[in-house]
Every structure is written in structure tokens, then in C-alpha cells.
Amino acid sequence: MRDPRARDPAPQAWRRYLTFWRADLRADVDDELAFHLEMRAADLQARGLSAPAARAAATRDFGDVAEIRGACVTIDQRRERREHRTEVVGDMWNDLRFALRTFRRQPGFTAAVVCTLALGIGASTAMFSLVDAALLRALPFAAPERLVVVWGTKGPERAVRGASFPEVSDWRTMNHSFGEMSLYDQTTLNLRTKSEPIRVTAEMVSANFFTLLGVNAARGRTFLAEEDASPDKAPVVVISDELWRTRLGGDPGVIGSSIVLNDRALTIVGVMPPGFRGLAFTTDVWYPGMMVSLTASPGILGRRGSRWLMALARLKPAVDAPTAQRDLDAVAATLAKSYPESNANRGALVMSLRKNYLGNTESLLVTLFGAVLLFLLIACVNVTSLQLVRAIARRQEIAIRLALGADRMRLVRQLLAEGMALAVLGGAAGALVAFWGVRALAPLVPAGLLPPYARLAVDGRALAFGLGVSLTAGIVFGVVPALRSSRNDLTSALKAGSRASSAGLTRIGRPGVQQLLVVGQVALALMLLTGAGLMLRSLQHQLAVSPGVRADGVFGARITLPAQRYAADARITFNDQLLARLRAMPALQSASLSSDVPFDGVTNAEMMTLEGGDLEGLRYYVHTVSPEFFSTLGIPLVRGRSFGSQDAKAAPPVAIISDAMAKRYWPTDDPIGKRFSQGVGGGGPAITVIGVVGAARFRDLTSDLGSPGAEPDVYFALSQRPKAELEIAVRTRSGNAPSLASLQKEVASLDPSLPLFAVQPLSDGLRGQSATGRFGSLTLGVFSIVALVLSGVGIYGVVAFVVGRSRREIAIRMALGARGGSVLALIVRGGLALAAAGVAVGLGGSAIMSRALASQLFGVKPTDPLTIAAVSLLVMLVALAATAIPAR
């Protein structure tokens, strides 16, 4: 222990006068112990001991000084922490009570702030729920960040295409980047049950598919390697837990039993765990990749040109996606040299599994989330502006408190507490807005916009985000007014209570904190309005595109004829009988059968060579239709004839082409009678063109059917190319949907094991083409309109505040001869100057917003001058109204 005689009194003075400094507990304890030792030594010395002996005896009597010192320090530290907590909690409680009393005295201000925050926080929380569900949550597979899909591609532009069985096999054996790879295809199958046939989602996979995803069977097993070795060697199937419980009654002896899929009896070897539904998240059945006879001919296994598969792969630990892409590029180059006829200009595309799910949705969701954050920022700026106005109005109150000795930092904390209290109230109201917003948003989200794993709901993560936003917002709009209020000049503030204060009309449009906040509001609102305007213009262009069909009153449903019982002749007979029954239904005006209908996403493609060999290897889309197909869908016959009874199976093959194809390949000749053959090099039989129909859009509304790179549509007679997968299209006389039961009854009268599925109006598919544009336009439109209103309120607040505090100046101007119009013009000029500055700043930010939306636009450029001019004019008009009202 240090010598008590050597202690320096300076630290005591510092601790005494600098009360804001945290106490030096150890020094205080040392001082206290030294004092007691000195007093004891002095007492002993007074009794006759020498000074050294008295000090030694005092130390001996006192005990272990170091131990006592440590115990005292610990006790003091505990007491200090307890007192500090009590002081902090007491201050916070006092600040909160004062804030609530203040809010009760100003209900209008409180309601305005809470409502503004509720809109901003609620909208951002609801949109975060959407983004979190689609982009932020981990996929429910083992190490999902290492999972990729591999697609076949065509040409240098890497147009995504499927892959064939041989190609997937080559990728698997020749790559150096993947630990495991499985082929994959999603389809639907007929499941025969005791009550009625149903349609189930199925996935065709390799034996290692389940281990690749990191999941094992809950009952039984998954596939064995030998079950992947040859076609149809083992007719086995793995089913989902949900199918086992709902359709098979949860039978504990299910392993080893059979189910009938597409008329084939398959042995159940495994049941997957509850909740696992495959990559599709709706799958009930998995079957080995080599058992293709469920949906196609086994001969397809060896054809390199039959491409519809993708591959699922897991990257090796030290390999990233770009490295894997370079690896597969080398594999594709090798295959192109080895198989030039089928693999020339073919490649492979490595894509993360999440990206494969999202497609173009990711950019739209990120843009919408950015837009809602801009909206939240506008709300915070609006509240900050209100807080500043309120702080200016409270200048005298704060000045009096400072004059009476209040600490400035204490005032800052108290004002900050008011901001945090408002933020918490706004956050609570925002949580309710988020719940309501998600309920309102869910029906508006178009099918296919979100990946299948996304579930839109306000959960704990979303509420935590909302809480974080609330606290951040409280700091943002609480600190600025608090610091500004604490710097008040006492003299001017106190004098303001004895006479009217003039803010000065000429200062409305001059730089200042409030003015800058208003400029920021206007700029952010202009950015949102620009995005909404571009999306709306894009939607208008999209809706103006003619689909080439009359969708109203047309309804579709699909059926699948099992290959085991329906060969080509049996399919033709079934088709004829079903069409005859459908035509006889009184409610139907017409009916047709086809391989697909517009916008159902099942169109297949083939290659062809025009007669004479001038053009070969042309890719075209195949549609196999009955004669009534064109009249049922309202596709006009431009020239030639439609299919008829003369186009039987044994008759020469014929085709009908689209008007776009005729103009592209025979711009000056009559296409009727022209011939082409299937495949590269024209090895197949010649097919004669017998008719030309209007260009119908089967895939999307945005592609140019007449462009040089467009792939045309070609129609074949269903009687010559009977298909197992059929689309029933009917046009009703009333325009109302036909009875599903009546359609199922007609199908069941021919084959009770065939279920109808995918029943929907054709107009739903057409509407789905613009659903994303509608959703984006609506969402951005709502945000931008509310943001514009908030910006107008901001301008109104600044002008109204200045005008209200400038009544004396206005009176003096009027008394000196100024006319009302000149004073009005002075005020309006100031407000419009703020809006003009905001527009100028916002135009720069709009360029960023426009570039972010570029991939979502159709028929309009991101720098569309009409949109920019329109939204700028709208902002100025709102500013004019917001300025003129208080000015008058």
C-alpha cells in the first residue's frame, strides 16, 4: 500500500469539482484506508509508542489491507452500478412521463407524427416480409449456398434451354467442380385412388438426389444406385409424408405396397419426412430418372436432341460458381467437337438454386424494397420537419429552463426521449399497418412472382425489423431538433416572448434546415413518382399488345392419356369420342383438343429445314391441335384452309403456320404449298403448308414475333400427331365457366381413371402476363402518391409556419402600400423555389431508380422524357397548391 504521507490531494479536488467525471473508486478506497490507518497510528503514538512502532502496530491491528481494499472496492462498485441504474431508470421514467404529458397537450401534432410513422414503418415492414421470404431466408436444404442448377443453353447469348439425358450424363462424368449431380425434371402424373383419380406433382431424379439435398427417408429408403442403371429396371417410387397420410391413410405397412401412377403399378420403397416436398415444394412422388416410360418413350434416353431436363449439383468445397461455369464451358466445347450435329452452338449455364427460383423477380423485389425505404425516409424527414417546427415553437420554454440552470445535455436527452417515445408509438401503430398491409398485399402478389418456398407473413423477423426501424427513426428525427434546441440563444429566445417574432417571408425559399428537409422530401418523392410512372407506361404498352386470341369465355383443362393403354390409334379414337361429347353439351359453343394453349407454359420446340436446303436447323414451336382449335380461341385463318377429316393419320403430313412465319420466310411468295421437314438436314418426311393463321402469342406478350431471332409457331393436325398430354379448350355460350363436374363426367364416361386438372379461364393466363407489371405499378404508385402528399404537407408546413410567424411583417408591408397579390406572389415564389430545388435534385436520383427498373420495362426507355416531364409537372402543381393555401 502506498505511503499515506505521500498521497496527493489533487485527485480529490478533481473528483470534487468535476462532478461529471466518473468517481475513481480505488483512489477513494485508498484515501479512506489511509485515513483510518493514520488515525489509529496517531492514537497509538499518543499512548507513548514511537511513530514507526505506532504505524506498524496500526497496520498489524488493521489486518490484511489488500484484502480489505479489494472488498471495499467491490462493495463500492456494486453500490455505484445500483445507483447509476436507479438514476438512469428514474431519468428515463421522468422523461417518458414528461413526453406523454406533452403529447396529451398537443394531440394534433402527436396524431400527425404517429400516423406518418405508422405509414412509413408499416409499409417498410410489410415489404420486408416479402423480401425476407423470397431473398433473405435460407433454403430448407443442407448448405443451400452450395447448390446450383445446370441448364443447357443455345448460342453465344446463352438462351436457356433444357438438356438431354446424354448431356446430363456427360456433365456428370466430365466435370471437375461438382461433388454430386442429379438429373431433374418436374411433371404431373395420374394417381389412381379408391375414390377418384387425382393429379399429383412428381419429380424425376437420380438416385443421389436426396443425399445431395441432405435429407433421408423417414420410413424405408430412397433409391439405390442400381435402380438408376437401366430403363425400368426397378419400378419403385418414394412418396411424401403428406400423400402417405392423406391418400394412403398413414398405413404403417406402406413400405412394399403398390400405387398406380399413369396406369403403372409402382412399389413404394420410402416415405420422406414431414414438410419435405422436393424442389417444387409441392411434390408428392419421386421416381428414378431411368424410368421415363411413365411419361415418354424409353428411346428418348439416347437422343441428344431431346432436351427438356435440368441438373441439380452441389459445388465442391473449394469451388465457386464462376469456376464451375468455366469448367462446364470446357465440357460443352468438347461435346460440340464430339457431336457437331446435336451440340454445335450448345453450352451449359450454372445458376445458383435461389437464382433459378427467383428469375427476374429478384430485381423487382429489390427495387420495390428500395422504393419503400425511400418512402420510409420521406416519412422520417416529414416527422423531423414537424419536430423542428415544434422545437422552434418551444424556444422560450427551453430558454427558461436553461436560464434556471438546466444542463444542456440533460435537455438533449429529454428531447431525444420524446423522439424515441414518438418512434415507439409509431412503430406499434406501424406493426398493425404491416399486418393489414400483408393481408391486403397477399392477394395482389401475382402467381409465380414469389418462389414456391416463400410464405408471406409478418413474423418475428419482420417485427424485429420494424422495431429496429422505429428506434433508428426515433434517433434520426430526435437528434437534430434536440441538438438545435440546445443551442438556443437565451437572450433572443427570452425576448421572443415579449413581442412578435418575424421569420421573414423572404426566407421561405432560402437555405435552412427545414428548407433542406423539404427539398429532400420532394426529391425522394420525385424518384418514386418516376419509377411508378415508368412502370405504368410499361404496363400500358404491354396491355396494348394484341395476344392474337379472344380469351373471354374460353376455359381450359388438361388430361393425360397413360402410354400403357393409349397407343397412337387409341389416342385418336379417344380424341374423336371426347370431342363429339363436348360438342353435344348445350352450354358449350365450341370445343377443341390441343397439346397446349397460349400462356400455359408447356409449349415444345423442334428443329426444321425448309425445302431446298436454303435454311436448316431452324427452331420452331410445335402445337398439335384439332380442327376446331382456331375457331374456339378466335385465331383468324388468313389464307388456305384449316385441318379437316382428310388430314387423317395415313394422309400426307400437313401443317398450318403463323402469319409471322409466312412473312419472315416467304415475304413475296404464297406460302401455301411450301414444304419443310423436321430436324437438321431435312431427314424426315416433307410437310406441306396448307394454311396461314394470325400470329397468336403462346409464351409472352413482350417478344417480337416478327424479329429475325424469333422462333415461329407451327400447328400440326392432332389426328396425325396424337399426343398423350392434352389441353381441352371450350368456349361457353354464356361466357361463364362451365361446370367442372360436367366436364369430368364426359371424360369419365370414356375413361373413369383420367382426372381433369389445371382448370382455369384462358383470360387468367393472359392476365398473368401483365400481373408483374400491375403489381409493380400498383405498389410503386401507392408509395409515390402518399410520398407526394407527405412532400406537399412538408411544403405546406414550412410555408404555413413562416407565414404564421410573419403576420407582423405582412401587416407592415400592407400598411406601406404593398398589395395582397404581391405578398401572395412573394410567398408562392418561396414555396415553388423549394419544390424546384427538390425536382432538380430528384432528377439525378430518378436516373438511379430508372436504371434499377430497366429490366422490368417494356416499350419505354428508362429516360422516357414524357414520364419525367409529367411527374415533374405534377410535383410542381402539388407544391403550388401546398404553398397557395397558407399564403391566402
Side-chain angles (χ1 to χ4, degrees):
M1 196 182 80
R2 63 179 181 170
D3 189 344
R5 294 173 298 179
R7 61 190 178 92
D8 184 1
Q12 298 180 18
W14 279 97
R15 292 194 297 275
R16 184 180 303 116
Y17 296 110
L18 298 182
T19 55
F20 62 87
W21 206 299
R22 185 172 180 176
D24 187 348
L25 294 179
R26 298 183 184 277
D28 287 345
V29 169
D30 288 343
D31 290 342
E32 188 71 18
L33 292 177
F35 171 76
H36 285 290
L37 284 173
E38 285 184 6
M39 295 297 294
R40 178 60 177 165
D43 182 56
L44 293 174
Q45 190 173 357
R47 295 181 183 183
L49 294 179
S50 63
R55 285 196 297 272
T59 303
R60 185 173 56 252
D61 294 344
F62 204 81
D64 189 344
V65 176
E67 182 179 354
I68 295 173
R69 177 178 180 273
C72 291
V73 169
T74 301
I75 293 171
D76 283 352
Q77 286 176 339
R78 290 175 180 172
R79 183 181 69 250
E80 184 188 54
R81 286 195 295 266
R82 184 167 58 252
E83 291 174 352
H84 181 67
R85 285 196 300 268
T86 302
E87 181 182 358
V88 170
V89 172
D91 288 346
M92 291 176 60
W93 175 244
N94 290 332
D95 289 342
L96 180 60
R97 288 194 303 169
F98 183 81
L100 294 178
R101 288 198 303 269
T102 302
F103 298 158
R104 282 199 301 269
R105 291 196 300 267
Q106 299 174 325
F109 166 81
T110 304
V113 170
V114 170
C115 289
T116 302
L117 286 177
L119 286 175
I121 295 172
S124 60
T125 303
M127 190 57 65
F128 173 82
S129 300
L130 189 68
V131 173
D132 181 49
L135 303 181
L136 303 181
R137 290 183 182 270
L139 298 176
F141 308 119
E145 70 281 357
R146 309 295 300 169
L147 292 174
V148 297
V149 297
V150 185
W151 287 100
T153 63
K154 177 189 176 183
E157 70 279 3
R158 290 188 181 274
V160 175
R161 301 285 185 258
S164 63
F165 277 97
E167 285 173 333
V168 174
S169 178
D170 290 335
W171 293 344
R172 179 187 292 176
T173 57
M174 298 172 67
N175 85 87
H176 302 89
S177 302
F178 305 117
E180 292 183 277
M181 179 180 285
S182 168
L183 64 82
Y184 178 87
D185 182 50
Q186 179 186 336
T187 186
T188 55
L189 303 174
N190 294 337
L191 172 62
R192 187 181 301 174
T193 66
K194 295 180 179 179
S195 56
E196 61 179 2
I198 62 171
R199 195 73 174 173
V200 294
T201 301
E203 291 178 334
M204 183 179 69
V205 298
S206 302
N208 64 343
F209 174 78
F210 301 102
T211 57
L212 196 155
L213 293 179
V215 63
N216 295 314
R219 291 173 175 266
R221 62 173 176 84
T222 57
F223 303 130
L224 303 175
E226 53 265 29
E227 290 166 346
D228 248 354
S230 61
D232 300 328
K233 179 179 181 179
V236 295
V237 68
V238 174
I239 64 174
S240 70
D241 179 82
E242 182 167 339
L243 181 67
W244 173 56
R245 295 183 185 278
T246 58
R247 293 295 177 176
L248 303 180
D251 179 12
V254 68
I255 303 301
S257 64
S258 297
I259 59 173
V260 180
L261 291 168
N262 278 17
D263 276 1
R264 285 200 62 184
L266 305 176
T267 302
I268 299 174
V269 297
V271 178
M272 298 309 294
F276 180 78
R277 304 295 297 276
L279 291 187
F281 290 87
T282 57
T283 304
D284 279 319
V285 174
W286 294 266
Y287 63 96
M290 289 297 175
M291 201 172 66
V292 295
S293 59
L294 277 176
T295 57
S297 169
I300 203 170
L301 290 171
R303 293 202 288 266
R304 288 189 170 272
S306 297
R307 298 179 171 94
W308 80 98
L309 301 171
M310 79 171 192
L312 175 70
R314 181 176 292 279
L315 295 170
K316 292 181 178 179
V319 178
D320 57 13
T323 302
Q325 182 64 67
R326 291 191 293 271
D327 184 16
L328 283 191
D329 287 343
V331 172
T334 300
L335 294 179
K337 293 179 180 178
S338 302
Y339 309 99
E341 292 187 357
S342 61
N343 284 77
N345 296 319
R346 292 283 172 175
L349 177 64
V350 178
M351 181 186 301
S352 71
L353 181 58
R354 185 183 293 277
K355 177 64 176 177
N356 185 69
Y357 280 125
L358 291 171
N360 290 329
T361 299
E362 182 175 9
S363 61
L364 177 61
L365 291 179
V366 171
T367 301
L368 291 179
F369 189 57
V372 79
L373 290 182
L374 289 180
F375 177 74
L376 174 63
L377 185 57
I378 291 173
C380 290
V381 170
N382 190 278
V383 172
T384 304
S385 181
L386 290 175
Q387 286 276 68
L388 280 174
V389 171
R390 179 168 173 263
I392 293 173
R394 296 176 64 186
R395 287 180 63 198
Q396 188 179 20
E397 170 201 338
I398 294 172
I400 291 174
R401 294 175 66 182
L402 289 171
L404 293 176
D407 181 64
R408 288 183 182 269
M409 290 304 299
R410 182 70 184 83
L411 281 177
V412 169
R413 290 200 305 270
Q414 193 261 311
L415 293 173
L416 185 58
E418 291 184 15
M420 296 300 292
L422 285 173
V424 171
L425 291 175
L432 295 177
V433 172
F435 278 107
W436 297 332
V438 166
R439 286 187 179 182
L441 191 65
L444 301 177
V445 177
L449 178 68
L450 293 180
Y453 57 80
R455 298 293 180 267
L456 185 57
V458 178
D459 55 11
R461 288 164 61 100
L463 291 177
F465 171 82
L467 176 62
V469 168
S470 301
L471 297 179
T472 304
I475 295 173
V476 168
F477 63 73
V479 168
V480 175
L483 293 178
R484 185 172 182 182
S485 297
S486 69
R487 293 197 298 266
N488 277 346
D489 178 68
L490 294 182
T491 303
S492 61
L494 291 173
K495 287 181 179 179
S498 61
R499 59 179 178 83
S501 175
S502 174
L505 296 180
T506 57
R507 294 193 58 82
I508 292 178
R510 294 184 181 179
V513 176
Q514 287 177 273
Q515 286 81 357
L516 291 177
L517 290 176
V518 171
V519 169
Q521 276 185 295
V522 173
L524 294 172
L526 184 75
M527 291 172 61
L528 288 178
L529 282 168
T530 301
L534 291 172
M535 289 293 289
L536 184 59
R537 290 263 292 159
S538 174
L539 179 62
Q540 289 176 334
H541 282 88
Q542 199 171 13
L543 295 178
V545 176
S546 173
V549 299
R550 291 189 292 111
D552 294 339
V554 178
F555 300 86
R558 293 193 70 81
I559 57 173
T560 297
L561 305 180
Q564 299 295 315
R565 290 189 292 115
Y566 286 92
D569 292 338
R571 294 175 187 175
I572 294 173
T573 301
F574 178 88
N575 295 344
D576 292 341
Q577 292 176 345
L578 180 58
L579 282 173
R581 289 179 175 275
L582 294 175
R583 292 191 197 102
M585 294 179 64
L588 301 185
Q589 179 179 331
S590 62
S592 69
L593 296 175
S594 60
S595 59
D596 60 320
V597 294
F599 311 122
D600 67 353
V602 296
T603 304
N604 294 319
E606 294 179 354
M607 308 299 287
M608 70 175 174
T609 299
L610 299 185
E611 188 177 53
D614 295 333
L615 291 172
E616 63 178 29
L618 301 174
R619 191 171 186 268
Y620 67 99
Y621 288 100
V622 181
H623 312 286
T624 307
V625 303
S626 67
E628 303 87 351
F629 176 82
F630 303 108
S631 60
T632 299
L633 272 67
I635 301 175
L637 181 66
V638 177
R639 63 176 68 185
R641 67 174 179 87
S642 184
F643 299 121
S645 57
Q646 67 271 38
D647 302 314
K649 180 183 177 183
V654 294
I656 296 175
I657 64 174
S658 66
D659 186 39
M661 179 177 176
K663 292 178 179 177
R664 178 178 172 185
Y665 294 121
W666 299 286
T668 58
D669 297 339
D670 185 356
I672 304 301
K674 298 294 184 181
R675 303 204 302 179
F676 64 91
S677 57
Q678 291 178 264
V680 180
I687 301 170
T688 303
V689 177
I690 62 170
V692 178
V693 294
R697 294 181 173 273
F698 278 78
R699 293 159 296 283
D700 60 73
L701 288 174
T702 58
S703 60
D704 184 2
L705 297 180
S707 67
E711 293 158 337
D713 296 283
V714 179
Y715 304 87
F716 295 90
L718 189 62
S719 55
Q720 294 186 339
R721 299 178 64 169
K723 295 292 184 180
E725 300 278 347
L726 289 174
E727 183 87 36
I728 301 173
V730 298
R731 180 176 291 277
T732 61
R733 298 184 186 278
S734 63
N736 298 323
S739 167
L740 176 60
S742 63
L743 292 179
Q744 181 67 69
K745 179 181 177 181
E746 298 301 333
V747 174
S749 66
L750 298 175
D751 188 339
S753 69
L754 299 181
L756 280 176
F757 64 99
V759 181
Q760 68 172 1
L762 186 63
S763 57
D764 281 2
L766 177 59
R767 192 175 298 110
Q769 290 294 303
S770 57
T772 300
R774 294 175 191 271
F775 178 72
S777 299
L778 176 63
T779 308
L780 277 177
V782 170
F783 290 156
S784 60
I785 289 173
V786 178
L788 182 62
V789 172
L790 290 178
S791 300
V793 170
I795 296 175
Y796 173 88
V798 170
V799 176
F801 177 75
V802 174
V803 170
R805 294 177 64 85
S806 302
R807 293 183 180 274
R808 183 182 182 191
E809 177 187 344
I810 294 174
I812 293 174
R813 286 175 178 269
M814 299 289 286
L816 293 176
R819 291 183 297 179
S822 62
V823 176
L824 181 66
L826 177 64
I827 298 172
V828 170
R829 279 199 303 271
L832 291 182
L834 293 178
V839 168
V841 175
L843 288 176
S846 297
I848 301 174
M849 172 68 76
S850 302
R851 283 197 297 269
L853 286 172
S855 63
Q856 305 294 327
L857 301 179
F858 169 70
V860 59
K861 295 181 179 180
T863 56
D864 180 48
L866 180 60
T867 302
I868 295 174
V871 298
S872 301
L873 178 61
L874 178 60
V875 168
M876 294 303 295
L877 290 176
V878 170
L880 178 61
T883 304
I885 293 174
R888 287 184 59 83

